[in-house]
Amino acid sequence: MSRIWRWNTPATLASLLMLCSIPSTAFGQKAMPANADPDWEVASVKATDPTETRGQHINMDGRRVLLLGTTVQQLLLIGYGMQKVQIANMPAWAETQRWDVAGVPDMEGSPSLTQVQTLMRKILAERFGLQLHHEQREIPVFALTVAKGGSKMIENTSKPDGPMDQRNSQAAGLRVENLTNTAMSELVLILQFHVNRPIVDQTGLKGRYDLKLEWAPDDAPPSDAADAPPGLFTAIQSQVGLKLQPVKAPADTLVIDAISKPKPD
């Protein structure tokens, strides 16, 4: 049984987060070792048939990873956990031309989110000739800070070097994130594409934490019910004790030095 997720452009990473957070064991699949650094054993990149109307989706079937109708811009968003404003010097074709990417990693097990990101970065370098460098540029961001009254997260000291465990769901206008052994960098990645600008961690928190967030996504139908879930910004402050504040601040920016269309397989 495979894991399939369809996305619309702003929600690319959020969709992948939903897909990769489903335990592989739920599909009878063994997870790739947490410390694995996979590359592609075999990979194919082909231009999407312009008459194809199936839309864009990710299909993960055991080791096999398939992205249909994706753009280079979306591969960058996935691979680096960025928003569009954080990518500079992108050619126009990279935003519009669609590609079908299919391949199998060079090690056993179903890849996690961070391992899928690794694979996306490597396909960009190996097949699209991506060369880039990082710069800190001042742009509109959300600063993630500790709210007045302090953090409400539970510090997890049981697995200081262990992986994060993420369980989430979305139904009937409610998004739920259950996170265990989570670093602030991982929380930022999860929140990143539920908002409309990059997030910069200014909490100063260096540990790993357990937390639960429940909120109504922006596209949820309005509700006057007394127990209706709050929006994300309210939920972060009331449930977790953190705060997202709009500011201008230096943020990591990917500057593309070279990229080209791949040669046909």
Side-chain angles (χ1 to χ4, degrees), residues 38-56:
D39 203 338
W40 296 95
E41 180 178 296
V42 60
S44 168
V45 179
K46 297 180 179 179
T48 302
D49 183 343
T51 65
E52 179 57 61
T53 60
R54 68 192 163 202
Q56 304 162 309

Side-chain angles (χ1 to χ4, degrees), residues 13 37 59 123 169 183 212 221 231 250 252:
L13 186 59
D37 180 24
N59 182 339
I123 201 82
S169 63
K212 183 178 182 180
D252 190 22

Side-chain angles (χ1 to χ4, degrees), residues 9-233:
T9 297
T12 302
L13 186 59
S15 299
L16 187 65
L17 284 164
M18 285 284 290
L19 179 69
C20 291
S21 66
I22 303 171
S24 299
T25 52
F27 297 86
Q29 300 165 3
K30 181 181 178 181
M32 190 175 287
N35 61 352
D37 180 24
D39 203 338
W40 296 95
E41 180 178 296
V42 60
S44 168
V45 179
K46 297 180 179 179
T48 302
D49 183 343
T51 65
E52 179 57 61
T53 60
R54 68 192 163 202
Q56 304 162 309
H57 74 264
I58 302 170
N59 182 339
M60 294 175 62
D61 185 0
R63 291 170 60 206
R64 187 168 183 263
V65 178
L66 177 66
L67 296 96
L68 298 179
T70 189
T71 64
V72 166
Q73 181 184 69
Q74 289 167 334
L75 291 175
L76 284 162
L77 297 178
I78 293 171
Y80 292 90
M82 297 287 190
Q83 291 206 11
K84 294 179 184 179
V85 70
Q86 293 172 276
I87 303 174
N89 294 351
M90 185 165 1
W93 66 264
E95 299 183 36
T96 58
Q97 185 162 351
R98 297 189 299 142
W99 306 88
D100 295 342
V101 179
V104 177
D106 60 357
M107 55 187 63
E108 293 296 325
S110 182
S112 68
L113 167 65
T114 54
Q115 289 160 344
V116 171
Q117 289 184 288
T118 295
L119 291 167
M120 294 304 99
R121 293 194 294 269
K122 290 179 178 179
I123 201 82
L124 284 164
E126 294 166 7
R127 298 300 305 274
F128 291 88
L130 174 66
Q131 298 178 35
L132 56 79
H133 67 276
H134 293 255
E135 292 182 5
Q136 291 288 307
R137 296 187 179 184
E138 189 171 88
I139 58 175
V141 302
F142 286 115
L144 183 67
T145 61
V146 178
K148 185 177 180 180
S151 167
K152 298 180 182 180
M153 299 181 295
I154 300 172
E155 188 164 7
N156 188 318
T157 58
S158 63
K159 298 182 291 183
D161 299 318
M164 174 189 68
D165 180 45
Q166 180 192 12
R167 306 293 174 95
N168 59 27
S169 63
Q170 182 168 325
L174 176 66
R175 171 84 184 202
V176 180
E177 287 280 359
N178 276 290
L179 305 176
T180 303
N181 203 42
T182 306
M184 287 301 97
S185 59
E186 293 166 330
L187 178 60
V188 165
L189 178 60
I190 289 167
L191 296 175
Q192 178 90 354
F193 279 75
H194 293 293
V195 295
N196 60 3
R197 59 174 71 181
I199 297 175
V200 175
D201 176 24
Q202 296 182 359
T203 63
L205 299 174
K206 304 301 182 183
R208 304 186 74 86
Y209 301 89
D210 301 342
L211 62 116
K212 183 178 182 180
L213 261 176
E214 299 181 326
W215 78 93
D218 290 343
D219 58 357
S223 173
D224 295 326
D227 59 349
L232 177 59
F233 288 75

